[in-house]
């Protein structure tokens, strides 16, 4: 996948680093992914690949697939509703925590993690940062870019080819068969 393809949906965010800009609520680059709406407000182009800033909002649903990021640190800050964050440290110790409005979770690079939205209309602010790369284009390449502001009317499940391509092109490695032994 070329960078031109990966960035062609960016219409409200200037591509040049060092350019100040403002975005109204919900008006960043949007993609539907499964039953969620992902909105990107800042990415690699604006931050010289030092971090990205996005929101994920959706209904109560299933746990997303367990995965890791080799070079990316990820934060979860819940602004609305409730999200259950699952994380495993580098020694294999697993934890889970129900995060509600105002709660924060941090996932270091290489730590398996997943989350599950526990209440309808929940919203998480995400920031991902790492040395020299960001993965905000993962969402629109795995999902479906949209001009709609709301969540999809029906779940949009990517096929295996899209999952493979996303894994090859972004800092994500899925962990098929990973089991959370934390009880929820």
């Amino acid at each position: 996948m070329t960078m031109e393809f990966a960035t062609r949906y960016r219409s409200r965010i200037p591509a040049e680093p060092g350019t100040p800009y403002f975005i109204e609520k919900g008006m960043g680059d949007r993609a539907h992914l499964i039953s969620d709406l992902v909105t990107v407000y800042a990415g690699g182009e604006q931050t010289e690949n030092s971090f990205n800033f996005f929101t994920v909002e959706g209904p109560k649903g299933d746990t997303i697939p367990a995965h890791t990021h080799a070079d990316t640190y990820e934060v979860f800050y819940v602004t609305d509703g409730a999200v259950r964050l699952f994380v495993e440290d580098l020694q294999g110790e697993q934890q889970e925590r129900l995060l509600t409005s105002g709660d924060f979770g941090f996932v270091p690079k290489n730590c398996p993690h997943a989350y599950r939205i526990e209440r309808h209309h929940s919203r998480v602010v995400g920031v991902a940062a790492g040395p020299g790369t960001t993965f905000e284009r993962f969402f629109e390449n795995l999902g479906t870019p949209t001009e709609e502001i709301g969540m999809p009317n029906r779940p949009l499940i990517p096929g295996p080819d899209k999952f493979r391509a996303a894994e090859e092109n972004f800092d994500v490695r899925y962990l098929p068969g990973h089991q959370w032994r934390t009880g929820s």
Side-chain angles (χ1 to χ4, degrees):
M1 187 163 312
T2 66
M3 184 57 90
E4 291 79 27
F5 176 80
T7 61
R8 71 180 171 140
Y9 300 104
R10 185 163 295 224
S11 57
R12 294 170 184 85
I13 303 172
E16 304 80 27
T19 302
Y21 63 95
F22 303 92
I23 298 176
E24 293 179 28
K25 179 180 178 181
M27 296 307 292
D29 294 339
R30 298 180 297 278
H32 287 148
L33 181 54
I34 307 177
S35 58
D36 299 341
L37 171 66
V38 179
T39 306
V40 175
Y41 292 92
E45 293 97 347
Q46 296 73 47
T47 66
E48 297 177 340
N49 287 323
S50 58
F51 74 92
N52 59 36
F53 183 95
F54 57 92
T55 60
V56 177
E57 53 189 298
K60 184 176 180 177
D62 296 327
T63 304
I64 65 155
H67 62 282
T68 62
H69 307 289
D71 291 318
T72 303
Y73 299 85
E74 194 168 1
V75 300
F76 294 78
Y77 180 79
V78 177
T79 60
D80 299 288
V83 175
R84 186 170 305 277
L85 180 60
F86 301 86
V87 65
E88 183 175 308
D89 66 23
L90 297 176
Q91 289 73 42
E93 184 72 28
Q94 292 187 354
Q95 300 178 57
E96 74 171 73
R97 181 69 52 96
L98 180 65
L99 304 174
T100 59
S101 184
D103 290 343
F104 173 90
F106 174 73
V107 179
K109 67 180 183 176
N110 292 311
C111 289
H113 60 285
Y115 69 88
R116 180 175 66 227
I117 295 178
E118 296 283 4
R119 292 187 196 140
H120 291 299
H121 299 98
S122 292
R123 180 182 299 127
V124 178
V125 171
V127 175
T133 186
T134 60
F135 70 84
E136 73 278 356
R137 296 295 156 215
F138 163 84
F139 301 114
E140 70 189 23
N141 283 275
L142 183 59
T144 303
T146 184
E147 290 298 316
E148 295 177 32
I149 292 176
M151 294 175 277
N153 293 328
R154 58 179 172 66
L156 300 168
I157 311 297
D161 289 345
K162 276 190 132 181
F163 273 104
R164 264 191 305 282
E167 190 172 39
E168 291 171 7
N169 292 298
F170 301 97
D171 183 24
V172 62
R173 182 173 60 92
Y174 303 110
L175 305 170
H178 188 81
Q179 298 293 312
W180 297 105
R181 302 175 306 277
T182 54
S184 291

